């Protein structure tokens, strides 16, 4: 039925929404496993638990957004990556409790609905879901011109995963356990408010105020700032599965997000325990080094706001280090658990 | 640890976020049932399935927002209701597939983080969750000054519920089934872009351009426009449970949201079937009648954009009508299922 003109006059473009729905349908469907029930009505996403549950199963869920990384994406005009950032961030957040993803729902809100842009955003969400065998079972796209600034958008999402109760993490962390790092690809999804301020300051000195992200820098291996800042948040599901398959006993995982090393590692340690992390034992991504230099950040501040290359920290028994490093080629031994209740860079 | 000044200069106020977290903690905790596992780390919400699942359980999930109802709330300066709207909307959306709520996660994004405002928003979410014995297991609050307009905010959320596969709705809808309506409290969460336009036009004629929602109207039983427009979205979980307990066989439920009667009822009917709904068999809320009059909306348009008092439609066997109307005092018989594949007001 044709949409009423009074409603369109209100700034809600139903035709664009319909077109966006058509464009995203195929991407969404590509994530569906046999556990997703279709044709049962279209209000709620339906996930059949029969294949997944045993007695003692726990659902682990997390909602997150990608913060102001959306502003970098909008400035660069690239919309196919932040959906991947969002899903991968959520995958890592439930992985630290030992959970594997079951399904995902996205929420996208825009000032003005552009079907191709929405299709790119949802396409990114779907690609990351497929990569993790996670079904994209639902979502909502809202056009809210009076809420969002021109050209601005927000993307948030919710993941639901599952873990056997007795396999939940963290568990059994003791003094002397090793800390192994999996590298980040860059900022992942944290620190963008600070990064954008530093970029703006730098761009001004190059007379690039209006197009700061095209600045191509030797320090970034000749990538542009836009390319370096949009590097996709890395998911660590496959690496953690590789460790499980290799027989490594994981005691804890710490996903280094907002608050950095200093806030995120203590969250998974028992009271009274701490950690040392050795400078120089892993690679700091060029974009992080550049931000520290250009923003004149103190080390403590840098490690509080940025992941500084430490994407995921894994706490394992010291005797499992060798197997772990063999199972995941870019894993690095970076430190160990101590009985001093603080996190120290040494 | 004190937050670095460079980060605060970027427009992200960590102290306000911490204060907001303290204020919301009690409200969140008040929604927790024994199924919520605490103390297992704080990245993901953990929901123990042991109490809920049988073989054949299906998880039904839905993500939604309250659209531009947030702009009315911000204009009126009242933040404790839209969280309830959000949860209740989601409860109804999974109820139409027969699912009861298990848990909820919220996403709140603001231009500037005001702890008391966030506490009111989350307090509303928690109140509605408690009312439905739905655990609020997670959430995210983001301060994104360059994404949202000044004073604007968005609130979205994800619900996960459960239903036995053989009890999923819709099922067995046949010609002659009765349609019973449960009344809405007003617009619920749809039609606010149109409503705000009509309000702005009306306020201009009263020289109230800057404070349109204080307009108090006899047609609204002397409520203000703000009060009438912020009426809380009604959840129908308890009414549907009352029907189940009374032995009524539910064939289908239609939650009348965006798209109104014309779009939402057909979604739960088998191909080839339609419905007649009788004018005058239920009460149209004063705010809907006022919008139709002030906005000069055609009837078809009004029933396409607004719920017009039909909050939830329940399709039941004709022989169960008497029991259903006795079990829920404000339920009304409004029509029946036909073999004419359209929805007609008669």
């Amino acid at each position: 039925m044709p949409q009423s003109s009074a409603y369109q006059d209100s700034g809600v473009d139903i035709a664009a929404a319909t077109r966006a729905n058509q464009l995203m349908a195929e991407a969404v469907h590509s994530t569906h496993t046999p556990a997703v029930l279709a044709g049962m009505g279209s209000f709620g996403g339906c996930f059949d638990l029969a294949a997944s549950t045993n007695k003692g199963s726990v659902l682990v869920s997390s909602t997150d957004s990608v913060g102001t990384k959306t502003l970098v994406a909008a400035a660069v005009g690239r919309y196919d990556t932040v959906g991947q950032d969002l899903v991968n961030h959520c995958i890592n957040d439930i992985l630290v409790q030992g959970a594997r993803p079951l399904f995902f729902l996205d929420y996208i809100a825009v000032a003005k609905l552009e079907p191709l842009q929405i299709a790119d955003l949802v396409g990114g969400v779907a690609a990351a879901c497929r990569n993790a065998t996670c079904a994209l079972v639902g979502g909502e796209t809202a056009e809210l011109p009076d809420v969002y600034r021109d050209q601005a958008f927000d993307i948030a999402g919710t993941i639901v995963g599952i873990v056997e109760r007795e396999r939940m993490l963290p568990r059994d962390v003791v003094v002397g356990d090793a800390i192994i790092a999996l590298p980040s690809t860059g900022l992942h999804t944290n620190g963008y408010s600070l990064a954008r301020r530093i970029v703006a300051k730098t761009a001004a000195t190059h007379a690039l105020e209006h197009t700061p992200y095209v600045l191509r820098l030797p320090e970034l291996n000749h990538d542009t700032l836009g390319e370096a800042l949009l590097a996709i948040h890395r998911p660590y599901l496959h690496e953690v599965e590789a460790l499980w398959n290799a027989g490594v006993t994981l005691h804890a995982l710490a996903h280094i997000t907002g608050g950095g090393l200093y806030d995120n590692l203590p969250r998974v340690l028992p009271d009274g325990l701490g950690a040392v992390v050795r400078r120089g034992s892993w690679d700091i991504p060029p974009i992080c080094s550049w931000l520290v230099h250009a923003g004149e950040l103190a080390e403590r501040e840098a490690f509080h706001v940025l992941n500084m290359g430490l994407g995921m920290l894994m706490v394992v028994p010291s005797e499992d280090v060798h197997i772990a490093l063999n199972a995941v080629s870019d894993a690095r031994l970076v430190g160990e658990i101590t009985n001093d209740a603080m996190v120290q860079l040494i």
Side-chain angles (χ1 to χ4, degrees), chain A:
Chain A
M1 116 185 25
Q3 186 56 34
S4 64
S5 59
Y7 201 48
Q8 284 180 320
D9 290 348
S10 306
V12 177
D13 187 343
I14 299 290
T18 302
R19 177 79 184 121
N21 280 336
Q22 292 165 343
L23 288 170
M24 73 176 76
E26 191 177 346
V28 171
H29 191 72
S30 74
T31 70
H32 287 182
T33 60
V36 178
L37 305 184
M40 298 298 291
S42 48
F43 285 94
C46 296
F47 192 92
D48 190 347
L49 275 171
S52 309
T53 54
N54 292 305
K55 211 164 164 56
S57 295
V58 173
L59 294 177
V60 182
S61 54
S62 182
T63 286
D64 222 314
S65 76
V66 302
T68 54
K69 195 168 185 174
T70 61
L71 290 170
V72 180
V76 172
R78 177 155 193 191
Y79 298 100
D80 60 333
T81 59
V82 290
Q84 298 177 69
D85 290 314
L86 174 67
V87 173
N88 294 344
H89 184 130
C90 289
I91 287 171
N92 293 344
D93 267 355
I94 64 167
L95 191 57
V96 301
Q97 301 194 273
R100 290 182 168 85
L102 291 176
F103 59 88
F104 195 88
L105 303 95
D106 65 277
Y107 174 67
I108 296 171
V110 292
K112 177 163 173 44
L113 208 154
E114 301 285 358
L116 291 173
Q117 178 186 333
I118 301 296
D120 272 356
L121 290 169
V122 177
V125 169
C129 282
R130 273 196 309 278
N131 184 48
T133 319
C134 175
L136 178 56
V137 298
E140 169 74 4
T141 304
E143 185 179 29
L144 304 172
D146 298 326
V147 176
Y148 290 84
R149 295 186 189 278
D150 295 338
Q151 271 84 55
F153 70 99
D154 202 1
I155 180 167
T158 300
I159 198 166
V160 177
I162 196 162
V163 59
E164 298 308 299
R165 191 164 176 162
E166 68 269 24
R167 290 176 59 91
M168 290 185 79
L169 299 178
R171 60 167 185 241
D172 307 329
V173 175
V174 293
V175 174
D177 276 355
I179 302 174
I180 290 175
L182 295 170
S184 71
T185 56
L187 270 58
H188 282 183
T189 55
N190 288 99
Y192 282 86
S193 292
L194 177 62
R196 288 186 304 113
R197 188 177 61 79
I198 295 171
V199 167
K201 191 188 76 169
T202 305
T205 69
H206 289 77
L208 287 171
E209 291 88 342
H210 300 297
T211 55
Y213 298 107
V214 303
L215 191 60
R216 195 174 292 280
L217 295 170
E219 304 95 301
L220 302 179
N221 300 327
H222 301 282
D223 279 349
T224 65
L225 277 169
E227 287 162 349
L229 286 169
L230 288 182
I232 296 168
H233 197 133
R234 177 170 164 177
Y236 299 103
L237 176 62
H238 296 319
E239 288 77 5
V240 168
E241 285 177 332
L243 293 198
W244 277 326
N245 292 339
V248 172
T249 303
L250 283 175
H251 285 174
L253 297 172
H255 184 204
I256 308 303
T257 57
L261 171 68
Y262 290 119
D263 281 4
N264 287 288
L265 184 52
R267 291 169 72 182
V268 298
L269 302 183
D271 285 346
L273 297 195
V276 292
V277 173
R278 292 191 170 74
R279 294 184 186 93
S281 61
W282 79 97
D283 294 328
I284 296 176
I287 184 69
C288 293
S289 300
W290 181 81
L291 287 168
V292 169
H293 177 75
E296 299 173 33
L297 305 180
E299 183 190 63
R300 188 160 189 89
E301 181 172 7
F303 277 85
H304 199 97
V305 178
L306 307 174
N307 65 59
M308 295 299 285
L310 302 167
M312 178 73 89
L313 298 181
M314 309 187 294
V315 180
V316 304
S318 56
E319 62 267 28
D320 284 1
V321 169
H322 188 68
I323 313 175
L325 296 179
N326 274 335
V328 179
S329 63
D330 57 1
R332 296 288 178 270
L333 176 65
V334 298
E336 64 259 358
I337 301 300
T338 67
N339 57 11
D340 199 1
M342 59 191 301
V343 174
Q344 279 187 285
L345 276 172
I346 62 173

